[in-house]
Amino acid sequence: MISDEEIRKCYELQGMYGDHVKQMYASGDLFTRYWQNMRRIIVERLIEELEVDSLLDVGCAEGLYTVFLTHKRVYSVGIDISLPKLIRAKKRYGRWKVLFIQADAENLPFSDNLFDLVLLIDVLRYLRNPERALKEAFRVSRKYVIVQSRTHLRTLRNFGRVMPRDYSSIERNFRTNPFGGAFWLFSSLGLIRLIRASTPNVRILRVIGIPFILILTDLPFNIVGYLRKSVTAVKIAMIIDRLVMERRVFNLMGSYTTILAEKEG
């Protein structure tokens, strides 16, 4: 069984290997860059709509979300378990009004109700105990929590559930590629239920499933690889996304799901 220390070392190595932000949002084929940046834009627009003076970004990597609209806040903090990623974040944004700290998402080193907004962007599925991380996020949040995660069609057969992955494959993948070592498969509804179960007095304000087009085109785009480099195909994806975005029936089928929750009381 892979240990917590081995997991930490895997992320250390991953951080040393390359720039997470560049790999996720500025490299790869046109289609991949489109939907990666699509989910980034949705989170940034949600942040922009909220009136918050303080922000905590859990699993911040190189700090892309941590620094968004920093000039409008009193302070922003990013935490990550990977020291190389934090070093890169400090080098990139060292002059900004932001602090980067090495810490564990399941044991946040902050007092209760300290931040107006807490972000968990594609973090929960890589944690042993996502419910514990959510409890911690709501504990330190004064108002809002934004959760975003990869959600899978294969979970529709257990719609509304959170499914653990086969541990032997997790152990194998973690030692070669931590991105392939997710512990959990979420459905959109399962993610919503996990948030509600993690802490009392939580209200779900927004659910955005993104991008629905990824589900429709995943098979043909994998079979016909050149389509992933097609500007026309990306434009079609953009049009369909705009048509279905935030429609309830599609939100629960998104390939990535973004949830804005409010802490009440």
Side-chain angles (χ1 to χ4, degrees), residues 48-225:
E48 197 166 15
E49 291 173 10
L50 302 173
E51 294 184 6
V52 296
D53 292 327
S54 55
L55 176 147
L56 172 65
D57 185 4
V58 178
C60 66
E62 284 87 3
L64 179 67
Y65 294 93
T66 319
V67 299
F68 184 70
L69 291 181
T70 298
H71 64 284
K72 292 187 176 182
R73 292 192 291 272
V74 176
Y75 60 91
S76 301
V77 178
I79 71 145
D80 203 284
I81 199 171
S82 173
L83 187 57
K85 291 179 182 179
L86 293 172
I87 291 172
R88 210 155 30 239
K90 289 178 182 179
K91 185 176 180 180
R92 183 173 293 161
Y93 303 116
R95 296 182 181 179
W96 295 48
K97 192 168 51 178
V98 60
L99 178 66
F100 293 104
I101 300 171
Q102 187 175 31
D104 179 2
E106 297 176 24
N107 295 282
L108 297 175
F110 305 110
S111 58
D112 296 357
N113 305 311
L114 185 60
F115 300 95
D116 291 332
L117 171 63
V118 178
L119 304 179
L120 287 158
I121 307 302
D122 206 19
V123 172
L124 293 178
R125 62 194 177 116
Y126 296 105
L127 301 176
R128 279 191 200 280
N129 192 337
E131 188 171 349
R132 168 71 180 171
L134 282 167
K135 286 180 183 292
E136 282 290 276
F138 282 105
R139 178 183 66 80
V140 303
S141 171
R142 189 161 43 235
K143 295 180 181 177
Y144 306 107
V145 173
I146 294 177
V147 176
Q148 187 182 85
S149 184
R150 180 78 164 92
T151 43
H152 296 264
L153 269 182
R154 75 187 80 173
T155 58
L156 288 179
R157 60 191 172 89
N158 291 301
F159 195 60
R161 294 181 59 190
V162 174
M163 298 168 58
R165 288 185 60 212
D166 173 63
Y167 203 88
S168 61
S169 67
I170 295 170
E171 190 169 18
R172 181 178 62 253
N173 291 343
F174 241 113
R175 291 195 170 97
T176 56
N177 173 22
F179 278 130
F183 287 94
W184 305 95
L185 297 176
F186 297 124
S187 67
S188 299
L189 185 56
L191 190 59
I192 292 169
R193 288 176 175 172
L194 185 66
I195 291 170
R196 286 176 169 155
S198 68
T199 194
N201 304 319
V202 171
R203 185 160 65 105
I204 303 297
L205 299 180
R206 300 274 291 280
V207 179
I208 306 173
I210 56 169
F212 182 66
I213 185 63
L214 187 63
I215 296 172
L216 295 179
T217 59
D218 200 29
L219 183 60
F221 268 64
N222 284 333
I223 294 174
V224 189

Side-chain angles (χ1 to χ4, degrees), residues 2-17 81-82 84-85 170-179:
I2 190 167
S3 67
D4 289 340
E5 180 62 17
E6 285 179 298
I7 293 171
R8 186 191 64 77
K9 287 180 179 178
C10 281
Y11 283 116
E12 292 281 316
L13 290 171
Q14 184 199 76
M16 293 170 64
Y17 176 74
I81 199 171
S82 173
K85 291 179 182 179
I170 295 170
E171 190 169 18
R172 181 178 62 253
N173 291 343
F174 241 113
R175 291 195 170 97
T176 56
N177 173 22
F179 278 130

